[in-house]
Amino acid sequence: MADNRAALAGDRLLAYAALAPSAFLLLLLAGVPTITVFVTAMQDVGMGDTDGPFIGFENFAWVFAEPAFYTALWNTFVWVFGSVALEMLLGLGLALLLNKSFAFRGAARAIVLAPYLVPTVVAVLTWRYMLHDIVGVVNAALMSIGITDQPLLWLNSQGLAMTSVIMVGVWKFFPFVVIAILGILQSIPQEQYEAAKIDGASDFQQFWRITLPYVMPVFLLTALLRTIWSFNKFEIIYLMTGGGPLDATTTLPILVYLKAFSDFEFGRAAAIAIVTLAILCVLLAIYFFFIKRAEARQ
């Protein structure tokens, strides 16, 4: 017994020693920038300054008193949950469809996954041209079939700008959801479906009782990843609208950029970034709660 415990302790020590370099590198790459940003948020730092006078939590007080922050926060939630919800629903539906056997399934999978392979900058600039109110093909198509009789201001209207960037974001990243869910669908034992059919289960009952419990942990994990990436997404919105019109698409990352590189208030920009990190941590905690519940039910 003592020999087994000693061997187990030795194995654990060896495992910790093997993981120590990677853990130290991860801590260095993630921890040092975070601490640096927090220190910057406690100072009055301007353009060209490496540090400034220590002002405590004044920048954080400014953040919570600034109306632009709450506008950006609301826009961020609309952008994140709007795009992630549509990506997850569309990805799940297409994954279920592509998991079935039909002619040219391989070609269909390639077409569905194609948007994810296009570089983001290329995709965004292409969509920006397509949504142009004068020369864009989207307006031309809508007017040709009679849906509208005048060009729509997709990127220059407060009512349509956020819808436009969400649409582009969904088009660009829903294939990631398809890949993740299609992988777990192909690992479900087919014997369970055959037994369910023998018992007279309908297609919906098979989905609810067999498919959904298998898919749910991966579904929630994919939603978690897409939430993190969308929350920090910058280039799609910035390249399409720059945060406009009239702050209609200004999200928290856009606001950080504008405060730092337009207003040259790096301390306040850092404070917004730290608050954004705190909000994201709360969202992660909620997601992990639901992931644990889904895994416990499996």
Side-chain angles (χ1 to χ4, degrees):
M1 183 67 69
D3 293 340
N4 290 338
R5 290 179 178 177
L8 183 59
D11 291 341
R12 288 179 177 175
L13 183 61
L14 180 61
Y16 290 145
L19 292 174
S22 298
F24 174 77
L25 183 61
L26 180 62
L27 182 64
L28 186 66
L29 293 176
V32 173
T34 303
I35 294 173
T36 302
V37 172
F38 185 80
V39 172
T40 302
M42 306 288 283
Q43 299 174 328
D44 183 13
V45 181
M47 183 66 176
D49 298 331
T50 56
D51 56 13
F54 180 80
I55 58 174
F57 291 94
E58 289 185 16
N59 286 327
F60 292 96
W62 172 87
V63 169
F64 292 111
E66 174 60 32
F69 167 75
Y70 294 100
T71 300
L73 180 62
W74 171 253
N75 290 338
T76 301
F77 280 121
V78 173
W79 153 254
V80 170
F81 291 109
S83 58
V84 171
L86 291 175
E87 288 170 18
M88 299 308 299
L89 292 176
L90 183 60
L92 176 61
L94 287 175
L96 292 171
L97 179 62
L98 294 175
N99 192 48
K100 298 182 179 296
S101 298
F102 57 88
F104 305 107
R105 184 175 67 172
R109 288 180 175 180
I111 293 173
V112 168
L113 300 181
Y116 196 63
L117 304 179
V118 180
T120 302
V121 174
V122 175
V124 170
L125 294 180
T126 301
W127 272 103
R128 183 176 177 178
Y129 180 77
M130 292 171 60
L131 293 173
H132 194 278
D133 53 345
I134 298 177
V135 298
V137 297
V138 174
N139 275 335
L142 294 177
M143 294 173 65
S144 65
I145 60 179
I147 293 181
T148 179
D149 57 355
Q150 58 184 357
L152 298 177
L153 304 177
W154 291 101
L155 303 179
N156 297 308
S157 168
Q158 286 185 287
L160 291 176
M162 182 59 75
T163 302
S164 301
V165 296
I166 289 176
M167 178 176 63
V168 174
V170 171
W171 176 86
K172 180 69 177 70
F173 293 107
F174 85 88
F176 176 81
V177 182
V178 176
I179 295 172
I181 296 180
L182 187 59
I184 192 64
L185 286 175
Q186 293 179 338
S187 67
I188 300 177
Q190 294 301 311
E191 294 80 4
Q192 296 192 21
Y193 290 108
E194 295 173 0
K197 290 179 182 178
I198 294 175
D199 292 337
S202 64
D203 291 340
F204 177 78
Q205 290 173 327
Q206 293 178 42
F207 170 78
W208 188 259
R209 298 294 183 181
I210 301 175
T211 305
L212 194 59
Y214 269 96
V215 168
M216 188 55 65
V218 174
F219 184 88
L220 291 176
L221 180 59
T222 305
L224 169 65
L225 294 175
R226 287 300 309 137
T227 299
I228 296 173
W229 296 339
S230 298
F231 212 91
N232 296 318
K233 185 60 64 177
F234 173 82
E235 69 273 21
I236 288 181
I237 297 177
Y238 184 76
L239 290 174
M240 291 195 69
T241 65
L246 299 176
D247 296 331
T249 58
T250 298
T251 57
L252 290 175
I254 298 292
L255 183 61
V256 171
Y257 173 84
L258 293 177
K259 294 305 295 182
F261 299 106
S262 292
D263 300 337
F264 306 121
E265 297 176 345
F266 287 92
R268 291 181 174 180
I272 298 172
I274 292 297
V275 173
T276 302
L277 175 62
I279 296 172
L280 191 54
C281 287
V282 173
L283 293 178
L284 295 185
I286 296 172
Y287 267 113
F288 279 124
F289 172 77
F290 285 107
I291 289 175
K292 290 295 183 182
R293 289 190 60 181
E295 291 177 346
R297 291 178 179 178
Q298 191 174 15

